[in-house]
Amino acid sequence: LVLKKCAVIGPGWTLEPREKEAGQQELTDTILQQLQDMSGNFSDDLWEILSALEWGFSLSEKIFALDGVAIVLRALKARAPHDIDFEQDPYGTVSAIVQQQARALAKMPPQKFVHFIHNHAFANPYGLSDLRAAYRPFWHKRNVVQWCTIYMERYALPTPRGTHPKNAPADK
């Protein structure tokens, strides 16, 4: 998975306007400047967003700040996926992100997050991990090694065999 992440981040990243319309390049330059001015390194944030390869999805909270008269993006803070749930409407759209916190559940609006889903299908907000394909061989290897160890312990020594003299009394 590290190789995949390095292949994405290694060549560097760029931001280009979707269409060559008036004002699009200006907007692109503004967003690019905000990404470069964020606290930390945007490549590190991309690395954390790519944790979706391991977990199936990643959530990064968008932190905004007031800069003079403009609201600007200051940071992206990744959330651990362990205690995250999603509330969905009947059509599969995420309506709330629910996180188990110290004492209670916290419901948060999905607009506050960058929600990257890896291998998503059928409105599944959890996605599918790349490690899912490796789980079955991992399970077999771990258990077969354990079973072989038990077998070797049981049959490593010959079966104990005892003898007694033919004329021995029954009480001995």
Side-chain angles (χ1 to χ4, degrees):
L1 295 178
V2 172
L3 182 64
K4 279 184 162 181
K5 289 181 179 184
C6 288
V8 170
I9 295 174
W13 55 273
T14 184
L15 196 62
E16 297 177 3
R18 183 182 297 184
E19 299 169 2
K20 301 291 182 188
E21 293 180 7
Q24 289 291 318
Q25 187 60 45
E26 203 175 295
L27 179 60
T28 302
D29 293 340
T30 302
I31 294 170
L32 183 61
Q33 189 62 44
Q34 283 189 19
L35 291 175
Q36 291 171 343
D37 291 344
M38 284 188 341
S39 64
N41 184 347
F42 185 63
S43 293
D44 294 340
D45 294 333
L46 282 176
W47 187 270
E48 289 182 342
I49 289 170
L50 288 174
S51 69
L53 297 174
E54 290 120 286
W55 296 99
F57 73 96
S58 71
L59 281 176
S60 297
E61 186 175 1
K62 298 180 274 189
I63 309 294
F64 293 98
L66 189 59
D67 185 24
V69 294
I71 297 175
V72 296
L73 183 64
R74 278 292 164 225
L76 288 173
K77 300 292 182 184
R79 296 275 182 125
H82 307 90
D83 298 321
I84 299 288
D85 266 333
F86 299 98
E87 283 187 2
Q88 294 178 280
D89 66 12
Y91 303 104
T93 305
V94 175
S95 57
I97 295 170
V98 182
Q99 183 180 28
Q100 176 67 45
Q101 294 184 347
R103 299 193 196 294
L105 293 174
K107 285 188 181 183
M108 299 165 286
Q111 298 81 9
K112 191 172 171 68
F113 294 89
V114 174
H115 180 197
F116 178 64
I117 306 169
H118 180 63
N119 288 336
H120 70 284
F122 310 114
N124 176 9
Y126 297 97
L128 290 175
S129 168
D130 275 354
L131 296 176
R132 189 178 185 95
Y135 180 73
R136 187 173 177 177
F138 160 78
W139 186 91
H140 280 96
K141 181 178 179 181
R142 184 181 63 185
N143 288 301
V144 167
V145 167
Q146 181 181 359
W147 298 331
C148 284
T149 304
I150 292 169
Y151 176 83
M152 288 187 295
E153 285 176 355
R154 181 174 294 162
Y155 297 107
L157 298 173
T159 305
R161 182 175 165 203
T163 59
H164 60 85
K166 288 184 180 181
N167 299 335
D171 60 338
K172 290 188 179 183

